Amino acid sequence: MAAKRASPGFHVLGVIRYGEKARIDTNVGFPAFSLSMQSLDRSDIFEVWASPDPVVYGEFDRIRFAANEHILFGGMHLQEQEHETLELAPYRAYRSALELLRDQDYPYPLRMWNYFPGINEEFLGLERYQRFCLGRYQAFAEHGYTFDGDLPAASAIGIQGEGLWVYFLAAREPGLQIENPRQISAYRYPLRYGPRSPSFSRATLADFAGERQLYLSGTASIVGHETRHRNNAAAQIRETLANIEAILDHPAVNARLGVNHLDGSSGLKVYIRDPADFELVSDMLAEAVGAECPILYLQGDVCRRDLMLEIEGVIRLPR
Ligand code: 3EB
């Protein structure tokens, strides 16, 4: 997220803005995407991934990317094709992304973001989120990624507009896949959640360029594999915070990061399904999280119908 510390240099890897009109900004030299998601606090905070070291830029297939000697940032937009069901879009997107990573030698995806419309709509017996999971799973499997060691942290959120947006960070060196002891790993969810499980980790811990970064994902109000607190936003927030705490308390995370509170070293993105819940969520987070922690509040549909919100985050600390 937005780099706050003064660094020796400031080179842009990529920028994501949130607003009305979705587009790829081709007038700038770096990958820049605007997604159609409403900012609930009307802020115009946007997301900047920056590098202290010089960056090279490129294009591959439909991907615009930027890389320094440690990490690669890339992003793309794929239209859905007529006469096809949704899963082909994530399948193609992930195949391209994984080919790019192999080609450029950043084979370890750390963090992936996925946005597409109608995530909870059903078509021919499967929810679009389940179809998304089919395509993503297939691409990871074909590229030889294992599901209990190689999966990135991820978000899959329903937005306005058309087509599938995917952006990602990957590294030359592997990150550490972290799972949450309070939750069944998503890649081991029972079949009733869909024919192919969601391919993401609860968090990834990565080291590069003198920094340690933790990417938090999939912290929504799920315990075991079940949604808790249907129709109770306050209780879902508390459960989500308990899930975040469990990740921070994870022995590997605790030993290498030693953070037990979200503060100025963190940045959060909060997706809220119903804008009417914004005030409650932001009040409760203001109490739970240090005031120095930047938070981006967005209207987004979480991938399970009964989940009212989801919090993702990045924590960065000097090593
Ligand atoms: C869950 O645990 C919550 O499919 O990439 C959260 C974060 C969720 C990421 C994904 C799904 C994803 O199933 C939903």
Side-chain angles (χ1 to χ4, degrees):
M1 282 195 198
K4 299 200 314 176
R5 257 168 257 120
S7 5
F10 187 90
H11 306 269
V12 178
L13 288 160
V15 171
I16 302 96
R17 295 189 296 171
Y18 303 92
E20 289 197 351
K21 237 179 105 48
R23 65 195 189 100
I24 298 173
D25 199 338
T26 51
N27 297 324
V28 289
F30 45 81
F33 307 97
S34 296
L35 306 183
S36 52
M37 260 190 279
Q38 187 197 341
S39 154
L40 293 171
D41 55 359
R42 310 262 158 219
S43 72
D44 51 8
I45 303 180
F46 52 95
E47 198 175 317
V48 178
W49 292 93
S51 161
D53 306 312
V55 167
V56 296
Y57 299 102
E59 283 182 40
F60 175 92
D61 229 348
R62 290 145 283 208
I63 304 171
R64 304 167 69 82
F65 68 90
N68 65 21
E69 61 184 288
H70 306 288
I71 58 166
L72 181 147
F73 173 96
M76 73 189 111
H77 178 237
L78 263 73
Q79 288 294 351
E80 286 180 58
Q81 302 298 318
E82 250 182 287
H83 312 303
E84 286 184 0
T85 42
L86 173 72
E87 61 270 26
L88 286 160
Y91 175 63
R92 291 189 187 113
Y94 275 69
R95 230 174 39 174
S96 292
L98 297 175
E99 272 165 32
L100 166 71
L101 299 185
R102 191 179 51 202
D103 240 54
Q104 298 287 323
D105 198 21
Y106 299 80
Y108 303 104
L110 302 175
R111 182 65 172 94
M112 304 194 75
W113 288 265
N114 308 281
Y115 301 103
F116 56 97
I119 192 165
N120 302 125
E121 280 165 26
E122 211 173 291
F123 184 64
L124 300 176
L126 278 186
E127 240 185 359
R128 280 164 59 81
Y129 173 61
Q130 296 174 321
R131 291 190 180 279
F132 167 81
C133 287
L134 280 179
R136 175 173 58 178
Y137 177 101
Q138 186 69 20
F140 272 128
E142 284 175 10
H143 279 77
Y145 284 81
T146 64
F147 291 83
D148 55 1
D150 298 333
L151 290 182
S155 306
I157 296 288
I159 62 171
Q160 308 303 306
E162 287 178 4
L164 170 68
W165 296 87
V166 176
Y167 69 94
F168 51 90
L169 278 172
R172 289 220 197 270
E173 299 296 325
L176 185 64
Q177 175 171 340
I178 306 287
E179 296 298 322
N180 184 344
R182 302 180 82 232
Q183 298 179 298
I184 305 242
S185 294
Y187 55 87
R188 294 210 182 100
Y189 277 170
L191 280 169
R192 71 163 138 116
Y193 295 102
R196 288 288 182 267
S197 52
S199 312
F200 69 92
S201 66
R202 299 295 176 186
T204 312
L205 189 56
D207 270 1
F208 49 82
E211 252 188 44
R212 203 152 268 177
Q213 302 203 359
L214 180 76
Y215 307 98
L216 285 163
S217 73
T219 60
S221 181
I222 293 173
V223 179
H225 55 75
E226 290 180 51
T227 300
R228 291 283 169 92
H229 321 297
R230 284 192 179 73
N231 303 312
N232 183 345
Q236 289 205 6
I237 297 163
R238 283 191 289 271
E239 204 68 74
T240 300
L241 291 169
N243 279 330
I244 292 175
E245 215 164 286
I247 299 272
L248 298 180
D249 283 344
H250 185 289
V253 176
N254 192 37
R256 291 166 64 175
L257 209 61
V259 167
N260 44 34
H261 193 69
L262 298 170
D263 58 20
S265 64
S266 331
L268 302 181
K269 262 158 88 180
V270 180
Y271 305 98
I272 302 175
R273 184 183 295 276
D274 181 354
D277 290 329
F278 164 68
E279 231 173 84
L280 174 73
V281 177
S282 56
D283 285 352
M284 285 182 66
L285 278 188
E287 258 184 53
V289 170
E292 331 76 62
C293 173
I295 307 180
L296 193 49
Y297 288 99
L298 299 165
Q299 192 283 320
D301 296 338
V302 187
C303 56
R304 278 190 199 181
R305 238 181 270 254
D306 48 17
L307 290 172
M308 303 164 85
L309 64 130
E310 160 113 0
I311 300 178
E312 66 171 57
V314 184
I315 300 174
R316 14 182 325 216
L317 288 175
R319 194 152 54 192

